[in-house]
């Protein structure tokens, strides 16, 4: 069983920098002020979403509109300021896959640590090492510290670890591709497998064709509010028209 | 990549009682990830000493050099027998080093875990446990040296030494509370890190470590206000004077209870806002 239920969600960031502004870009979270000293950015307001088993939700919107913030709240990385987020099922997020890589540790050690972070026991994580290392195609480099890797190799390792476990609810911020041309093809296939295996998908992207292909419903965020929520094709068409006009 | 527990309800504006409950859950669930935090702690240390020839042996070596210097310099000024004073400095500094690392690392454990907090959904206490176990590994290396010094100076453990393990447990418990409290305060107000570091350097000289209370005359009266006096006493007195300092124990238990209450409250109430303070 996997479902996500979000009710009246608001997220506010306190701005601690002294010179907080009042002007934010069109479509981004808006500044607000309480008293003389408290500055806030209202990142998300009044978000209501329900996602049931097997549904695929796409999130679109301009830069700063709150897409990543919403994903982070669902992934449990940011607390809601108001409202309730109810999650049923194992959530796995590919939001910033580079987080949690230790460049001084070997590739193998990183797989072990990240496996344990993902909730595996040490023994279970150990058992996955060879499989993940094979996918990353790093050969004996897997026994060297990550700092000796080329950036493409590090990305491949990251991708291999991040996509090694199939969760109930998959959260993806921008499509992740990694490595050279040959690996990119493999990465695409892996992402597709992961999506097919997951109970529900939430994908934020600027690639409208991708969103239309992957999602059956689309949420359009603007300035932290729901501008539209409905069948993928309709919402994306509406979004295109607005941007182009 | 990270996987969140399968049933989760997050909500804003929680009441105190449910905040305390999630705080307690965080502490318990963090502890359950012992395989993770002990591995992370080992990695931290390996990283610190990478490509050195002696590696972790530096922990032993630097502690040894430090206490030897202190024994010779301050021993010359102290009327007590050299063997006793050597043991006094060795054990005192061992405990001080542990407390000092709990406090300094407590200040920075959350600040330094920024990329983790932002990237993976782990109980925040995981970072405290990681930091504490790292400090304990360092402590173990120094403790081996201290044990040798105790034997060489003729301080074989007596019955009173049985109170040392519980005393260390109490100190570790304090270390955890200090991590909760300082970790959160320092994350929000970064100046506190500097204030604490400066204070600890001064406190080193205000704590009976390289001098004894009978050396400082009337100043000794101020020692009752220094919490470190008691925390060090409960470990040092049984080992070098073969007595259990009941007064110090009572003070330590009281302080731990007070610190524990305040720390847990601060941690629970502000836990939800941590992510915004980076």
């Amino acid at each position: 069983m996997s479902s996500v239920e979000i009710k009246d969600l608001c997220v506010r960031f306190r701005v601690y920098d002294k010179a907080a502004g009042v002007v934010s870009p069109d479509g981004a979270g808006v500044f607000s002020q309480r008293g003389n000293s408290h500055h806030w950015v209202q990142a998300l307001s009044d978000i209501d979403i329900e996602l049931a088993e097997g549904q695929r939700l796409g999130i679109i919107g301009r830069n700063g509109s709150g897409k990543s913030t919403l994903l982070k709240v669902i992934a449990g990385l940011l607390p809601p300021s108001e409202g309730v987020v109810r999650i049923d099922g194992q959530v796995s997020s590919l939001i910033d896959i580079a987080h949690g890589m230790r460049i001084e540790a070997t590739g193998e050690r990183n797989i072990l640590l990240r496996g344990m972070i993902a909730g595996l026991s040490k023994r279970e994580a150990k058992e996955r090492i060879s499989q993940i290392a094979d996918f990353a195609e790093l050969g004996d480099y897997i026994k060297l510290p990550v700092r000796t890797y080329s950036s493409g190799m590090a990305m491949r390792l990251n991708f291999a670890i991040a996509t090694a476990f199939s969760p109930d609810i998959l959260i993806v911020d921008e499509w992740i591709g990694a490595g050279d041309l040959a690996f990119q093809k493999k990465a695409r296939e892996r992402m597709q497998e992961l999506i097919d295996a997951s109970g529900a998908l939430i994908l934020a992207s600027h690639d409208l064709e991708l969103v239309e292909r992957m999602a059956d419903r689309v949420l359009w965020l603007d300035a932290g509010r729901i501008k539209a929520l409905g069948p993928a094709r309709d919402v994306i068409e509406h979004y295109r028209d607005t941007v182009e006009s | 990549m990270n996987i969140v527990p399968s049933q989760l309800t997050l909500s804003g504006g929680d009441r105190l009682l449910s905040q305390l409950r999630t705080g307690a859950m965080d502490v318990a669930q963090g502890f359950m990830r012992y395989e993770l935090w002990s591995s992370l702690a080992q990695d931290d240390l390996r990283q610190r000493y990478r490509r050195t020839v002696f590696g972790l042996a530096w922990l032993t070596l630097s502690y040894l050099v430090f206490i030897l210097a202190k024994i010779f310099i301050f021993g010359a000024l102290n009327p007590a027998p050299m063997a006793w004073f050597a043991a006094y400095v060795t054990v005192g500094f061992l405990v001080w080093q542990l407390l000092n690392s709990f406090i300094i690392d407590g200040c920075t454990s959350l600040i330094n875990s920024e990329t983790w907090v932002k990237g993976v959904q782990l109980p925040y206490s995981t970072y405290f446990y990681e930091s504490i176990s790292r400090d304990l590994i360092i402590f173990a290396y120094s403790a081996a040296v201290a044990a040798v010094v105790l034997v060489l100076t003729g301080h074989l453990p007596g019955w009173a030494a049985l109170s040392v393990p519980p005393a260390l447990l109490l100190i570790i418990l304090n270390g955890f509370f200090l991590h909760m409290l300082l970790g959160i305060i320092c994350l929000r107000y970064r100046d506190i890190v500097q204030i604490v570091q400066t204070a600890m350097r001064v406190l080193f000289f205000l704590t009976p470590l390289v001098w004894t209370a009978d050396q400082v005359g009337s100043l000794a009266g101020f020692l009752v206000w220094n919490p470190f006096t008691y925390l060090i006493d409960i470990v040092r007195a049984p080992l070098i004077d073969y007595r259990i300092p009941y007064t110090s124990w009572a003070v330590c238990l009281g302080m731990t209870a007070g610190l524990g209450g305040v720390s847990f409250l601060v941690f629970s109430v502000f836990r939800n806002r941590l992510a915004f303070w980076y």
Side-chain angles (χ1 to χ4, degrees):
Chain A
M1 186 59 215
S2 42
S3 68
V4 178
E5 191 190 340
I6 299 174
K7 260 203 155 71
D8 307 319
L9 171 71
C10 291
V11 175
R12 277 186 296 273
F13 295 98
R14 172 101 183 259
V15 180
Y16 292 104
D17 298 271
K18 288 194 183 72
V22 282
V23 185
S24 60
D26 258 4
V30 281
F31 285 105
S32 57
Q33 200 174 350
R34 193 198 290 167
N36 246 344
S37 57
H38 287 41
H39 294 265
W40 306 85
V41 171
Q42 186 75 29
L44 290 173
S45 325
D46 309 322
I47 305 290
D48 284 280
I49 312 171
E50 266 179 57
L51 193 68
E53 169 96 43
Q55 287 192 326
R56 273 112 227 264
L57 178 73
I59 304 178
I60 56 173
R62 291 185 275 189
N63 292 132
S65 57
K67 301 187 293 295
S68 298
T69 305
L70 180 56
L71 293 185
K72 281 180 187 166
V73 172
I74 299 171
L77 298 176
L78 282 179
S81 307
E82 278 170 42
V84 180
V85 177
R86 211 168 275 124
I87 290 157
D88 196 356
Q90 282 231 309
V91 178
S92 163
S93 53
L94 304 181
I95 292 178
D96 189 343
I97 59 164
H99 273 147
M101 188 68 107
R102 300 208 144 185
I103 61 162
E104 292 299 340
T106 64
E108 280 183 340
R109 183 84 184 162
N110 269 294
I111 296 174
L112 188 71
L113 291 176
R114 296 270 292 269
M116 285 194 278
I117 287 172
L120 300 183
S121 72
K122 198 166 192 167
R123 184 198 300 195
E124 288 168 332
K126 254 185 194 141
E127 284 165 3
R128 303 295 289 271
I129 287 179
S130 66
Q131 180 197 345
I132 295 171
D134 284 349
F135 185 85
E137 297 176 23
L138 290 170
D140 283 340
Y141 264 84
I142 204 74
K143 299 191 192 311
L144 292 178
V146 172
R147 80 186 134 79
T148 63
Y149 293 13
S150 78
S151 54
M153 284 160 67
M155 268 162 64
R156 258 156 51 175
L157 176 62
N158 241 327
F159 181 87
I161 299 174
T163 56
F165 318 94
S166 48
D168 300 333
I169 302 165
L170 181 66
I171 298 175
V172 184
D173 195 0
E174 276 305 335
W175 197 253
I176 297 155
D180 48 34
L181 217 55
F183 194 81
Q184 271 174 28
K185 183 169 174 289
K186 209 169 142 183
R188 256 198 312 276
E189 286 164 11
R190 168 64 75 91
M191 282 297 277
Q192 193 62 53
E193 277 169 31
L194 201 60
I195 287 171
D196 292 341
S198 66
L201 169 77
I202 304 175
L203 163 73
S205 180
H206 291 288
D207 184 343
L208 296 179
E209 271 145 40
L210 177 80
V211 174
E212 199 168 347
R213 202 167 64 234
M214 290 294 164
D216 39 44
R217 272 197 314 158
V218 167
L219 167 70
W220 175 8
L221 281 177
D222 200 63
R225 290 177 183 279
I226 296 180
K227 183 111 171 189
L229 175 63
R233 189 169 305 178
D234 301 352
V235 177
I236 288 175
E237 206 170 304
H238 187 185
Y239 180 70
R240 272 212 184 92
D241 290 346
T242 317
V243 173
E244 277 160 16
S245 68
Chain B
M1 160 86 185
N2 92 99
I3 292 181
V4 185
S6 54
Q7 286 256 340
L8 190 72
T9 305
L10 305 154
S11 54
D14 274 341
R15 282 159 190 276
L16 183 64
L17 203 65
S18 74
Q19 283 177 333
L20 291 175
R21 201 180 309 122
T22 35
M25 292 253 291
D26 188 303
V27 171
Q29 286 173 343
F31 185 79
M32 296 303 287
R33 312 294 292 265
Y34 53 88
E35 283 184 337
L36 174 64
W37 47 257
S38 57
S39 303
L40 289 174
Q42 287 165 24
D43 271 40
D44 289 341
L45 285 173
R46 268 189 216 139
Q47 200 156 320
R48 199 179 291 177
Y49 292 96
R50 85 181 170 91
R51 295 179 62 190
T52 57
V53 177
F54 294 106
L56 292 179
W58 273 115
L59 295 170
T60 313
L61 212 59
S62 63
Y63 173 72
L64 188 63
V65 170
F66 210 76
I67 54 165
L68 283 180
K70 287 197 157 40
I71 289 167
F72 285 116
I73 296 166
F74 294 95
L77 303 170
N78 202 293
M82 197 56 162
W84 180 87
F85 186 75
Y88 177 87
V89 170
T90 304
V91 179
F93 188 64
L94 179 72
V95 181
W96 169 265
Q97 201 186 36
L98 183 65
L99 285 166
N100 186 58
S101 64
F102 281 159
I103 290 173
I104 303 285
D105 294 344
C107 288
T108 52
S109 65
L110 283 177
I111 297 177
N112 291 344
S113 304
E114 174 163 2
T115 57
W116 297 77
V117 174
K118 285 183 174 173
V120 295
Q121 208 264 345
L122 284 174
Y124 292 117
S125 62
T126 315
Y127 308 114
F128 304 150
Y129 293 117
E130 174 193 353
S131 172
I132 287 167
S133 48
R134 188 179 58 224
D135 293 341
L136 285 175
I137 295 172
I138 298 174
F139 172 78
Y141 276 86
S142 306
V145 177
V148 173
V149 173
L150 280 175
V151 172
L152 288 180
T153 56
H155 291 86
L156 294 171
W159 282 110
L162 288 175
S163 73
V164 172
L168 288 174
L169 272 179
L170 192 70
I171 288 175
I172 295 169
L173 194 60
N174 273 288
F176 185 76
F177 295 148
L178 286 164
H179 271 75
M180 279 209 277
L181 184 67
L182 292 171
I184 291 203
I185 295 177
C186 293
L187 186 65
R188 176 66 184 80
Y189 302 101
R190 304 286 169 108
D191 295 83
I192 309 282
V193 183
Q194 306 302 324
I195 294 173
V196 170
Q197 282 176 359
T198 313
M200 288 308 286
R201 257 175 247 140
V202 177
L203 273 167
F204 174 79
F205 292 102
L206 297 180
T207 307
L209 294 166
V210 292
W211 45 267
T212 46
D214 51 0
Q215 257 185 307
V216 292
S218 59
L219 277 176
F222 291 101
L223 284 181
V224 296
W225 301 107
N226 182 348
F228 294 103
T229 312
Y230 305 103
L231 287 164
I232 286 165
D233 198 35
I234 57 171
V235 179
R236 189 172 55 191
L239 288 174
I240 66 166
D241 293 333
Y242 303 101
R243 63 179 177 87
I244 298 174
Y246 293 104
T247 320
S248 293
W249 261 100
V251 175
C252 287
L253 286 171
M255 284 194 310
T256 310
L259 180 69
V262 173
S263 304
F264 185 64
L265 191 69
V266 168
F267 176 69
S268 303
V269 170
F270 295 106
R271 202 185 144 276
N272 245 351
R273 295 183 218 170
L274 285 188
F276 296 123
W277 288 346
Y278 282 97

